[in-house]
């Protein structure tokens, strides 16, 4: 198999794997109102079905990332997705809410094996100038999975209850999982290493101490917390007065995920061309704009805001996740990728609960203020990191290089102002 064919096969496999992962991870989200009605729970409590899975993923990301160094990344990703699929097929038959939450926690632990390893796998097996576009395609798979799973689960759930909705998503994920197992090539560039705590903790220290990586970590925490909050409570807002949208039609709002499919791919390419921080800051700004648009009481404007919000978030996530793969040193790449997943899904778990509580306490407007503050804080850290990185490069360069850098910056400024 030549390199181009192998790269294409990797892209298709990871696209399908991401689709299955995110369809399973968020399967209960579109039918949360049905869960709340059947079990007599408040929106903040029933959101545990989503938060438990993302918490499991966050906690398991680093251990499974370390395991992949020992047994191989392909083996961990395939095993993890198979376990998650089996649990997905089991969930519709469980009648006790507490047991559902526990199983969702375990399912989150399982999917961590793919989520925490995929970025490192792509960075080593693809790398080079193709990495931005390939990472964008992988993130596009997460958006397709999120959209398709939520849409399918919501529509089927309106007619067959939450049991039917969750089962339909699991069957879709089963097809994607089977194709993922068949298509994903074994590693060529990764050398397995014996399990050793020294290199593991050394890599973690390196990944934690690199100040440049703090920016994408924070984007993951606050951006994902904002994103999950909106999608957790959206169904409650759309189906309640004064909008009173039928559940099957409310599920169509998840078509907004299509915007993320497009923007994640475009953002990856734009980051390769224009720089990561520029595209990342733009993505955060667009995300906040979408939130503000959703303050409107008009359904059409709310849907437009949701599209803008989703597109902006996935653009930012695509760039931030790719930034980690490039910035981390080779010996810390897996740990940095796992830390990003920890931040991302920890933000989903904790942010989803906090954001849901803010919606219950202050309504949609109060929740919007909180989420905009989160996004602004992430943007400030990215901006500060950008300034410090530029100063560090200029200070470390010889005088001629520093003069050239200054001249280039001035020329760039004149070009942008013209």
């Amino acid at each position: 198999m030549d390199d181009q064919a192998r790269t294409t096969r990797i892209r298709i496999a990871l696209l399908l794997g991401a689709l299955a992962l995110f369809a399973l991870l968020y399967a209960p989200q579109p039918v949360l109102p049905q869960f709340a009605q059947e079990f007599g729970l408040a929106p903040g409590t029933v959101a545990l079905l989503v938060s438990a899975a993302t918490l499991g993923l966050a906690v398991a990301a680093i251990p499974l990332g370390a395991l992949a160094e020992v047994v191989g990344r392909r083996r961990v990703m395939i095993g993890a997705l198979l376990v998650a699929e089996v649990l997905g097929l089991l969930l519709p038959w469980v009648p006790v809410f507490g047991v559902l939450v526990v199983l969702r926690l375990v399912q989150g632990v399982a999917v961590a094996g793919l989520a925490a390893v995929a970025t490192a796998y792509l960075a080593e097996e693809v790398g080079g100038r193709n990495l931005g576009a390939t990472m964008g395609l992988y993130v596009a798979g997460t958006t397709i999975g999120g959209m398709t799973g939520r849409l399918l689960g919501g529509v089927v759930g309106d007619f067959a209850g939450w049991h039917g909705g969750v089962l339909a998503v699991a069957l879709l994920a089963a097809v994607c999982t089977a194709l993922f197992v068949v298509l994903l090539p074994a590693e060529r560039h990764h050398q397995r290493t014996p399990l050793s705590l020294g290199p593991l903790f050394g890599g973690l220290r390196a990944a934690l101490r690199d100040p440049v990586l703090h920016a994408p970590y924070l984007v993951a925490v606050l951006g994902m917390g904002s994103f999950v909050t909106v999608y957790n409570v959206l169904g409650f807002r759309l189906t309640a007065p004064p909008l009173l949208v039928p559940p099957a039609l409310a599920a169509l709002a998840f078509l907004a995920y299509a915007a993320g499919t497009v923007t994640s791919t475009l953002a990856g390419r734009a980051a390769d061309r224009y720089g990561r921080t520029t595209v990342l800051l733009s993505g955060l700004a667009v995300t906040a704009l979408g939130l503000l648009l959703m303050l409107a009481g008009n359904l059409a404007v709310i849907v437009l805001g949701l599209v803008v919000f989703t597109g902006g978030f996935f653009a930012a996530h695509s760039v931030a996740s790719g930034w980690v793969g490039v910035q981390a040193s080779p010996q810390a790449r897996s740990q940095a990728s796992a830390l990003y997943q920890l931040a991302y899904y920890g933000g989903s778990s904790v942010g989803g609960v906090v954001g849901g509580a803010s919606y219950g306490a202050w309504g949609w407007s109060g929740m919007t203020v909180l989420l905009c503050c989160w996004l602004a804080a992430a943007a400030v850290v990215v901006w500060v990191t950008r300034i410090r990185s530029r100063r560090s490069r200029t200070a470390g360069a010889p005088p001629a290089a520093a003069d050239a850098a200054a001249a280039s910056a001035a020329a760039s400024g004149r070009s942008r102002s013209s």
Side-chain angles (χ1 to χ4, degrees):
M1 186 188 305
D2 60 47
D3 289 343
Q4 185 58 45
R6 186 172 184 273
T7 298
T8 300
R9 190 166 169 175
I10 288 173
R11 287 175 172 176
I12 295 173
L14 266 297
L15 176 71
L16 291 168
L19 196 157
L21 187 160
F22 277 82
L24 291 170
L25 188 64
Y26 293 107
Q29 196 172 54
V31 289
L32 286 180
Q34 284 99 317
F35 277 106
Q37 183 176 8
E38 178 168 331
F39 293 104
L41 300 171
T45 303
V46 79
L48 288 172
L49 288 171
V50 176
S51 295
T54 53
L55 176 63
L57 196 159
V59 171
I62 293 176
L64 288 179
L67 179 64
E69 297 297 313
V70 179
V71 303
R73 289 175 179 149
R74 181 181 183 274
R75 186 174 297 177
V76 168
M77 288 191 287
I78 287 176
L81 200 53
L82 288 173
V83 171
E85 175 57 37
V86 170
L87 290 171
L89 292 170
L90 178 63
L91 286 170
W93 315 109
V94 177
V96 181
F97 182 76
V99 176
L100 281 170
V101 172
V102 172
L103 290 179
R104 288 284 292 162
L105 178 68
V106 177
Q107 190 179 38
V109 170
V111 297
L114 175 60
V117 176
T119 300
Y121 176 90
L122 287 174
E124 288 192 344
E125 300 302 316
V126 179
R129 290 180 296 176
N130 292 322
L131 180 59
T134 302
M135 183 61 67
L137 188 63
Y138 169 71
V139 175
T142 71
T143 66
I144 294 171
M147 178 184 69
T148 306
R150 288 168 167 96
L151 183 62
L152 178 63
V155 172
V156 174
D158 192 26
F159 300 100
W162 68 263
H163 308 273
V166 172
L167 180 60
V169 174
L171 292 174
L172 169 68
V175 175
C176 296
T177 299
L179 292 172
F180 174 79
V181 172
V182 171
L183 291 173
L184 187 68
E187 303 98 314
R188 281 183 180 175
H189 306 293
H190 176 244
Q191 299 294 325
R192 300 180 189 178
T193 58
L195 182 61
S196 175
L197 295 181
L200 171 62
F201 288 117
L204 283 174
R205 283 194 298 270
L208 284 170
R209 290 177 178 176
D210 187 340
V212 176
L213 289 176
H214 295 167
Y217 294 160
L218 192 64
V219 169
V221 171
L222 299 179
M224 188 56 169
S226 302
F227 182 78
V228 168
T229 293
V230 168
Y231 275 89
N232 274 355
V233 303
L234 181 65
F236 292 96
R237 185 188 183 195
L238 293 180
T239 57
L243 297 174
L244 294 173
V245 178
L249 292 179
L252 295 178
F254 293 112
L255 286 170
Y257 256 69
T261 304
V262 174
T263 60
S264 59
T265 304
L266 294 178
R269 293 173 180 170
D272 290 339
R273 183 173 181 180
Y274 300 110
R276 296 181 187 88
T277 54
T278 298
V279 180
L280 182 50
L281 289 169
S282 300
L284 291 172
V286 171
T287 306
L289 174 62
L291 275 173
L292 296 177
L293 286 173
M294 282 190 284
L295 286 171
N298 181 276
L299 181 60
V301 179
I302 292 173
V303 172
L304 174 62
L306 184 64
V307 171
V308 173
F309 170 81
T310 304
F313 166 74
F314 277 107
H317 168 45
S318 175
V319 176
S321 58
W323 192 358
V324 170
V326 172
Q327 174 66 27
S329 59
Q331 67 271 20
R333 186 169 288 144
S334 292
Q335 289 88 340
S337 175
L339 282 173
Y340 182 85
Q341 299 302 322
L342 173 62
Y344 188 77
Y345 293 104
S348 172
S349 181
V350 177
V353 172
V354 174
S358 72
Y359 172 73
W362 308 317
W364 191 272
S365 297
M367 181 199 76
T368 298
V369 171
L370 176 64
L371 302 190
C372 283
C373 289
W374 288 356
L375 295 172
V380 168
V381 173
V382 171
W383 181 260
V384 170
T385 300
R386 178 183 190 175
I387 293 174
R388 288 178 176 174
S389 296
R390 286 180 173 178
R391 288 176 178 172
S392 176
R393 286 196 299 269
T394 303
D403 291 343
S408 175
S412 176
R414 287 194 298 272
S415 175
R416 285 193 296 269
S417 63
S418 60

